[in-house]
Amino acid sequence: MKQRKFTLEENEIPENWYNIVADMPNKPLPPLHPGTLEPLGPEALEPLFPKALIEQEMSADKWISIPEEVRDLYSLWRPTPLYRAYGLEKALDTPAKIYYKYEGVSPSGSHKPNTAVPQAYYNKMEGVKRITTETGAGQWGSALSFACQHFGLECDVYMVKLSYHHKPYRKSMMNAWGANVYASPTNLTEAGRKILAQDPDSPGSLGIAISEAVEMAAQREDTKYALGSVLNHVKLHQTIIGQEAIKQMEKAGDMPDIVIAPFGGGSNFAGLAFPFLRLNFEESRNIRCIASEPTSCPKLTRGVFRYDFGDTGGMTPLLPMYTLGHDFVPAPIHAGGLRYHGAGVIVSQLLRDNLIEAVAHDNVEVFEAGVLFAKTEGIIPAPEATHGIATVIAEAEKCKKEGKSKTILFNLCGHGNFDMKAYDDYFDGKIVKHELSQEEINASIAKLNTPEIPS
Ligand SMILES: *Cc1c(COP(=O)(O)O)cnc(C)c1O
């Protein structure tokens, strides 16, 4: 029997997170205070985040040890399996070898608990009682609800209104873990009321929901805020994915030539790719790492590299990143959790330095890829993950054309069992190609009055 699944023992859960900043040739530029435009000191973030996470956010230490309580809860679903995709290889009739790391085995069904658990843990350790957050497709809100429940914290989730109505069971899931869920924009916050005054039927966006959650956290002593993507400490926590994958690829007697992951704010991409980039830095390997984004929200492939706000309201620090502009509201189509206007700071710097690559796929192409994957490998991928699969298929077809065998590894960062509405829309022909015109992108970027970064 051919070996399909490569597993690790519980005691092989990594003991450290890997901080790629230590190895980067050009360090990321500092975040700026939105008022003074001076580099931001750690104290500016203290109303929002516990000190331990701020320290990680700014750390240049290469390895950061994972607390025992966190590893203990990780062991509920980690180490996650790594599979060889024989079914997909056969369907594509490709000489390429395809592997995937499967993060859908976590309680909430994606990679998000990898960071939700340590974030809840550090908040608990510093005496916080409640965490506020936003959620788009619902993956992050459910992961944080699960983690807060475990550590006895209250959790308030601002859920993008469009998803709130499209994904009622994500809300139920958060409620089952004891969280309060609000459809954003709400009337509860200044930021929400401002949007509703302009557009009472606003479908919401991640940027708006972030503004609401940040506002609520900033107002209360016992409340902090948590983010499920974009920030350095979030990417750091996700690096357990790639560290496990390296061991599993060794067990398979193989090593990837190409590492692929879907891209929203960059956390699952970072989680899989950064430990492989470490091999590039340390051992001068040449592993290509490719981020896959939707053509409907193409910040990496068509955005600008400059300082921008993390939210729509312009309340967060200014971050140096690839962005479509913080006012950018993606068309209400199913790019699921990939609808964020900006990319994380570290990933942005890596892309600028040509150490990683980015590609974009349209909606129809990714659902075709997702359905092919479900038919050949059994697991129904989260709609976000289908972007990565579309890139895998493109690379595997290149291998076939060139008659070359390459090893491809991708991150199946979540299952799509709560996303069948999106699949139904695809089956009903309601998912259409969507490409932004250059005018739309220019208009959004022209509104930016944030500092430019000289090239
Ligand atoms: C949140 C999410 C994403 C996008 O966020 P990243 O930070 O880019 O990983 C992608 N896939 C799934 C399944 C998600 O839950």
Side-chain angles (χ1 to χ4, degrees), residues 83-85 88-89 92 94 96-100 392 396 408 410:
Y83 292 92
R84 172 90 183 259
L88 181 62
E89 287 174 20
L92 296 174
T94 174
K97 290 188 271 180
I98 303 173
Y99 294 85
Y100 59 96
V392 170
I408 302 172
F410 78 96

Side-chain angles (χ1 to χ4, degrees), residues 263-289:
F263 195 97
S267 77
N268 92 84
F269 171 78
L272 183 65
F274 287 5
F276 286 96
L277 287 171
R278 178 176 74 82
L279 302 183
N280 286 357
F281 292 132
E282 285 183 0
E283 302 172 9
S284 304
R285 293 197 197 217
N286 223 344
I287 301 166
R288 290 173 61 205
C289 294

